[in-house]
């Protein structure tokens, strides 16, 4: 309404002016009421939307976080035998090993975590394993979880398998626990507070697992106080796998059966009864560690091979010195030792070096330039009718079959029974654990259960 006409009406017709004034006030009240209703309607719509969103969110299954990794085995050149502390799983002596390539020998592990999981679960090679009282598993889980930047609630489900015989003296537990720790490390985004800390956690699962967290030539230092602390009982990489790329390993699987005496039980008995073991740990191993590390860094195979064989022999001597004695090697193992010495004597130098862990299976270290001839020599000594699957590397098997051994060398061979050696792996030094593609996950991401089948 025009302001001048409005004022003119006020002076001319007071009654009409008052009615008009009331109409204006009613209009203002209607507008205010309408605005208020609109605001309340919008607020109600927002509340309904939030309720729908929350309902949708609550009906959605909790996330299953997961990672899949692989980890290598390692074969010791200076053996670890005997625990300083069983609870800490620390050793009475230093040891050193070569980490092997994962092409044939590895553990593959998926670790997953979700609030949907009611209990912690573990599957090994497709079979469910009870975790009741499994101190080793929980030492690894709790140790790594405490270092995690990613704070995930919920239980864990773990599935793992080995690509080689379990508990047959090929360090399957080393690969298995190294994979477990590395999987947890990736799952929880764990960060070490000091270098080597993760290896101290892996050690609590399986002693030699600490060495499998690194590639190449790796030492396990017993630590300054392995009896009460164990914080510096850890793995240290002496040289990466690229340092001595010519190193090769032939693994002769004599038996894929589980050994009669576990390493844990054997060590405990040896520590309690073998005086030779105590002398070895305090007087022999320290000097050998220094010598073999120097030989490896200098790429001196003669010295490296001699020390490796001597330490393997002494390790098994301590097993015999244990009461009652422990027998890990068998007659086939001993025949392999004899053949290696005959082969080296024939050439007047060390071209092959054997070592035996707690089992009958032989690991022969050599150099790339001798690998084919040594493989041909062993194939001549241990025939097989298995065919292409007998040797892991088909190209090397072909080269070995075409290799003409010297007549004098053939005279040294003593034909064994077919089947005395079940398989031969041809491998070399390799890197530490690797994270794998999510497509290789061993856990069903809908159910949270194992989906691996051997």
């Amino acid at each position: 309404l025009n302001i001048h006409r409005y004022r003119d009406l006020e002076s001319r017709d007071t009654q009409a002016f008052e009615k008009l004034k009331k109409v204006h006030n009613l209009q203002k009240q209607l507008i205010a009421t309408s605005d208020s209703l609109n605001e309340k309607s919008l607020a109600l719509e927002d509340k309904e939307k939030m309720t729908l969103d929350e309902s949708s969110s609550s009906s959605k299954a909790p996330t299953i976080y997961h990672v899949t990794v692989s980890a290598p085995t390692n074969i010791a050149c200076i053996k670890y035998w005997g625990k300083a502390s069983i609870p800490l799983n620390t050793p009475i002596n230093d040891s050193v090993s070569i980490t092997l390539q994962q092409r044939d020998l590895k553990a593959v592990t998926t670790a997953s975590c979700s609030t949907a999981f009611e209990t912690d679960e573990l599957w090994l090679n497709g079979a469910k394993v009870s975790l009741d009282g499994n101190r080793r598993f929980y030492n690894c889980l709790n140790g790594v979880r405490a270092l995690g930047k990613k704070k995930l609630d919920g239980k864990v489900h773990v599935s793992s398998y080995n690509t080689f015989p379990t508990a047959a003296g090929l360090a399957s537990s080393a690969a298995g626990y190294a994979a477990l720790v590395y999987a947890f490390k990736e799952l929880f985004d764990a960060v070490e507070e000091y270098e080597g800390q993760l290896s101290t956690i892996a050690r609590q699962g399986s002693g030699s697992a600490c060495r499998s967290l690194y590639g190449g030539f790796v030492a396990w230092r017993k630590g300054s106080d392995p009896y009460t602390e164990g914080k510096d009982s850890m793995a240290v990489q002496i040289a990466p796998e690229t340092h001595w790329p010519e190193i090769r390993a032939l693994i002769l699987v004599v038996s894929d059966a589980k050994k009669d005496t576990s390493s844990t039980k054997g060590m405990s008995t040896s520590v309690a009864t073998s005086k030779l073991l105590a002398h070895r740990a305090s007087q022999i191993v320290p000097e050998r560690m220094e010598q073999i590390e120097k030989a490896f860094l200098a790429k001196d195979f003669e010295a490296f091979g001699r020390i490796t064989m001597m330490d393997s022999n002494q390790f098994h001597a301590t097993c015999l010195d244990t009461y009652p004695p422990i027998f890990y090697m068998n007659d086939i193992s001993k025949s392999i030792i004899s053949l290696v010495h005959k082969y080296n004597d024939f050439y007047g130098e060390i071209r092959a070096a054997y070592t035996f862990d707690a089992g009958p299976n032989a690991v022969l270290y050599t150099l790339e330039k001798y690998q084919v001839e040594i493989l041909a020599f062993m194939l001549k000594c241990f025939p097989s009718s298995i065919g292409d699957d007998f040797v892991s590397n088909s190209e090397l098997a072909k080269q070995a079959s075409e290799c003409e051994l010297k007549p004098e060398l053939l005279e040294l061979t003593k034909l064994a029974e077919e089947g005395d050696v079940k398989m031969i792996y041809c491998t070399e030094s390799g890197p530490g654990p690797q994270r794998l593609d999510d497509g290789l996950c061993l856990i069903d991401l809908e159910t949270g259960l194992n989906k691996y089948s051997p």
Side-chain angles (χ1 to χ4, degrees), residues 320-361:
L320 290 175
D321 189 54
T322 300
Y323 187 82
I326 306 168
F327 303 97
Y328 285 122
M329 293 194 296
N330 59 23
D331 288 341
I332 303 168
S333 309
K334 295 170 188 174
S335 70
I336 294 171
I337 290 174
S338 177
L339 287 167
V340 169
H341 281 292
K342 288 178 179 179
Y343 178 84
N344 289 335
D345 290 345
F346 176 78
Y347 283 105
E349 63 178 349
I350 295 176
R351 294 189 176 188
Y354 58 77
T355 186
F356 293 81
D357 277 352
N361 302 310

Side-chain angles (χ1 to χ4, degrees), residues 74 76-81 91 93-97 207-208 210-211 217-222 234-236 238 280 285 289 292-293 311:
N74 68 80
C77 306
I78 302 295
K79 307 297 185 185
Y80 141 60
W81 195 250
N93 64 269
D94 290 1
S95 58
V96 70
S97 63
S208 54
C210 68
R211 297 190 306 250
F217 198 54
V218 186
W220 174 14
R221 309 298 189 202
K222 69 176 182 178
M234 65 176 69
V236 177
I238 304 302
R280 161 185 155 77
V285 169
M289 284 290 294
I292 201 168
E293 288 178 27
D311 197 76

Side-chain angles (χ1 to χ4, degrees), residues 216-217 238-246 293-299:
F217 198 54
I238 304 302
E241 63 275 13
T242 54
H243 172 73
W244 200 355
E246 297 83 8
E293 288 178 27
K294 182 179 178 180
F296 194 92
L297 292 173
K299 303 180 183 179

Side-chain angles (χ1 to χ4, degrees), residues 3 23 30 33 74-75 91-92 132-133 150 210 221-222 232 242 255 261 269 271 274 328 339 356 361 395 419 448:
I3 187 66
V23 170
L30 284 171
T33 302
N74 68 80
I75 301 297
I92 62 173
D132 291 343
K150 190 183 292 183
C210 68
R221 309 298 189 202
K222 69 176 182 178
D232 58 350
T242 54
S255 172
T261 305
T269 308
V271 168
S274 174
Y328 285 122
L339 287 167
F356 293 81
N361 302 310
E395 179 57 32

Side-chain angles (χ1 to χ4, degrees), residues 129-404:
V129 176
S130 173
L131 288 173
D132 291 343
N134 194 323
R135 178 176 53 86
R136 295 183 176 194
F137 178 89
Y138 283 107
N139 282 344
C140 293
L141 171 60
N142 298 334
V144 178
R145 201 169 205 163
L147 300 175
K149 291 193 298 182
K150 190 183 292 183
K151 304 299 181 183
L152 299 180
D153 295 325
K155 301 295 185 178
V156 298
H157 285 185
V158 176
S159 177
S160 182
Y161 70 88
N162 287 322
T163 62
F164 52 98
T166 299
L170 283 176
S172 58
S173 64
Y177 276 101
L180 182 69
V181 166
Y182 194 77
F184 285 151
K185 178 252 184 190
E186 293 291 301
L187 182 66
F188 299 119
D189 193 17
V191 178
E192 292 182 326
E193 296 171 342
Y194 57 89
E195 188 174 359
Q197 187 176 11
L198 284 173
S199 76
T200 70
I201 297 171
R203 181 204 78 220
Q204 296 175 58
S206 171
S208 54
C210 68
R211 297 190 306 250
S212 279
L213 285 180
Y214 299 95
F217 198 54
V218 186
W220 174 14
R221 309 298 189 202
K222 69 176 182 178
S224 57
D225 191 0
Y227 291 90
T228 58
E229 288 291 332
K231 290 183 179 179
D232 58 350
S233 180
M234 65 176 69
V236 177
Q237 187 184 60
I238 304 302
E241 63 275 13
T242 54
H243 172 73
W244 200 355
E246 297 83 8
I247 282 283
R248 295 291 183 271
L250 301 179
I251 302 176
L252 279 63
V253 180
V254 173
S255 172
D256 54 6
K258 188 174 181 179
K259 54 199 176 193
D260 293 334
T261 305
S262 71
S263 296
T264 299
K265 183 179 179 181
M267 287 186 204
S268 178
T269 308
S270 292
V271 168
T273 63
S274 174
K275 291 183 178 180
L276 176 58
L277 179 65
H279 175 75
R280 161 185 155 77
S282 62
Q283 303 298 318
I284 307 298
V285 169
E287 183 180 4
R288 279 188 181 159
M289 284 290 294
E290 184 179 341
Q291 291 172 344
I292 201 168
E293 288 178 27
K294 182 179 178 180
F296 194 92
L297 292 173
K299 303 180 183 179
D300 180 353
F301 192 82
E302 181 79 20
F304 167 80
R306 183 182 65 256
I307 297 167
T308 296
M309 290 187 284
M310 290 176 68
D311 197 76
S312 177
N313 294 339
Q314 190 180 69
F315 157 57
H316 286 278
T318 62
C319 292
L320 290 175
D321 189 54
T322 300
Y323 187 82
I326 306 168
F327 303 97
Y328 285 122
M329 293 194 296
N330 59 23
D331 288 341
I332 303 168
S333 309
K334 295 170 188 174
S335 70
I336 294 171
I337 290 174
S338 177
L339 287 167
V340 169
H341 281 292
K342 288 178 179 179
Y343 178 84
N344 289 335
D345 290 345
F346 176 78
Y347 283 105
E349 63 178 349
I350 295 176
R351 294 189 176 188
Y354 58 77
T355 186
F356 293 81
D357 277 352
N361 302 310
V363 177
L364 307 184
Y365 286 121
T366 186
L367 296 175
E368 183 180 18
K369 58 186 176 182
Y370 305 132
Q371 182 181 26
V372 171
E373 184 182 66
I374 293 172
L375 176 58
F377 184 59
M378 290 299 158
L379 287 174
K380 183 65 71 174
C381 297
F382 300 100
S384 173
S385 60
I386 295 176
D388 294 341
D389 293 333
F390 184 59
V391 179
S392 66
N393 187 315
S394 59
E395 179 57 32
L396 280 175
K398 182 176 182 296
Q399 293 177 35
S401 67
E402 297 170 352
C403 177
E404 293 187 13

Side-chain angles (χ1 to χ4, degrees), residues 219 302 426 442:
E302 181 79 20
C426 302
L442 307 177

